[in-house]
Amino acid sequence: EDQVTQSPEALRLQEGESSSLNCSYTVSGLRGLFWYRQDPGKGPEFLFTLYSAGEEKEKERLKATLTKKESFLHITAPKPEDSATYLCAVQANSGGSNYKLTFGKGTLLTVNP
Amino acid sequence: SQTIHQWPATLVQPVGSPLSLECTVEGTSNPNLYWYRQAAGRGLQLLFYSVGIGQISSEVPQNLSASRPQDRQFILSSKKLLLSDSGFYLCAWRFGTSGGYTFGSGTRLTVV
């Protein structure tokens, strides 16, 4: 069974204080690892897809990296508007054409001004 | 451009009442469609997915059912709601070749 564990559950940062969120995964053949941002009361918003170990993706203050066992979402000099829940999900090769995603519980990030 | 519509945004229903949540996608054809539920303190749980009209796969035995009467329409239903059906319901479709999803805005269901 595919599993995704995110840590920490919650993270409080001061504006400008860089940090990283962790996503550890167990999957029978990784097809892709996905990062989403979710604001309160809204649906998740797609951020990145990573496919193979060593791959990196960047978007503004966010950078996602991938190893064979985990992924990190690095947040550089965060701003209050970066406050949200960040979700990690994996997709297994064994899924065939269904492309099911297995999600972690998320990390609630709060950035104080 | 592709868009996904989900309604209603909020719903308060008594125990034992029926449920129907609708999701429609525009700007694409034959999409993979998904229903997820997000309960407090839990991650997104896959309930149903569909790879085509009339094709429904269930992931979790429960009090809910799903149907796909048209290519871009996905419906989540229940004949009799339970308190445990409360949660945030999200519809999603798979975009492009990356395997990633676009999610709808969600329905907050409270069963009282």
Side-chain angles (χ1 to χ4, degrees):
Chain A
E1 182 180 336
D2 303 335
Q3 291 188 337
V4 179
T5 303
Q6 291 188 246
S7 62
E9 291 184 8
L11 180 64
R12 284 186 175 272
L13 300 174
Q14 289 299 121
E15 185 172 1
E17 179 187 0
S18 301
S19 187
S20 296
L21 312 182
N22 177 264
C23 171
S24 299
Y25 63 90
T26 303
V27 65
S28 54
L30 181 70
R31 172 184 274 167
L33 184 140
F34 301 80
W35 282 98
Y36 284 84
R37 170 192 169 126
Q38 186 175 24
D39 292 308
K42 296 187 178 181
E45 176 187 345
F46 172 77
L47 292 174
F48 304 109
T49 308
L50 301 167
Y51 296 103
S52 57
E55 188 175 1
E56 298 183 353
K57 293 275 181 73
E58 287 190 68
K59 180 180 181 179
E60 296 181 356
R61 295 177 291 281
L62 301 176
K63 183 170 80 173
T65 61
L66 181 64
T67 72
K68 290 186 177 181
K69 294 183 178 181
E70 56 191 350
S71 176
F72 292 94
L73 184 64
H74 306 278
I75 303 176
T76 302
K79 298 182 178 181
E81 53 261 42
D82 294 322
S83 297
T85 296
Y86 290 85
L87 300 171
C88 173
V90 297
Q91 195 171 75
N93 280 325
S94 57
S97 62
N98 61 49
Y99 295 94
K100 294 187 292 183
L101 289 182
T102 299
F103 283 84
K105 294 182 180 181
T107 293
L108 175 61
L109 174 67
T110 304
V111 182
N112 297 313
Chain B
S1 63
Q2 299 94 346
T3 56
I4 180 168
H5 302 280
Q6 191 178 342
W7 66 92
T10 59
L11 195 58
V12 180
Q13 292 285 97
V15 169
S17 64
L19 173 74
S20 180
L21 302 181
E22 189 165 342
C23 170
T24 60
V25 180
E26 294 179 359
T28 186
S29 60
N30 196 31
N32 279 24
L33 296 172
Y34 307 85
W35 278 111
Y36 278 83
R37 178 170 61 199
Q38 190 173 35
R42 301 185 62 180
L44 283 158
Q45 180 187 33
L46 179 62
L47 302 176
F48 301 94
Y49 67 90
S50 172
V51 298
I53 296 174
Q55 300 180 60
I56 306 295
S57 296
S58 174
E59 286 293 297
V60 182
Q62 60 213 328
N63 186 42
L64 302 169
S65 62
S67 62
R68 187 169 175 176
Q70 299 181 40
D71 182 42
R72 289 170 285 180
Q73 184 185 31
F74 204 20
I75 298 172
L76 183 69
S77 305
S78 174
K79 293 182 179 179
K80 290 185 177 181
L81 284 169
L82 306 172
L83 287 174
S84 57
D85 292 324
S86 294
F88 191 47
Y89 288 82
L90 289 155
C91 180
W93 70 279
R94 183 179 68 87
F95 63 86
T97 57
S98 73
Y101 297 175
T102 294
F103 283 88
S105 54
T107 295
R108 173 72 60 189
L109 172 66
T110 304
V111 182
V112 297

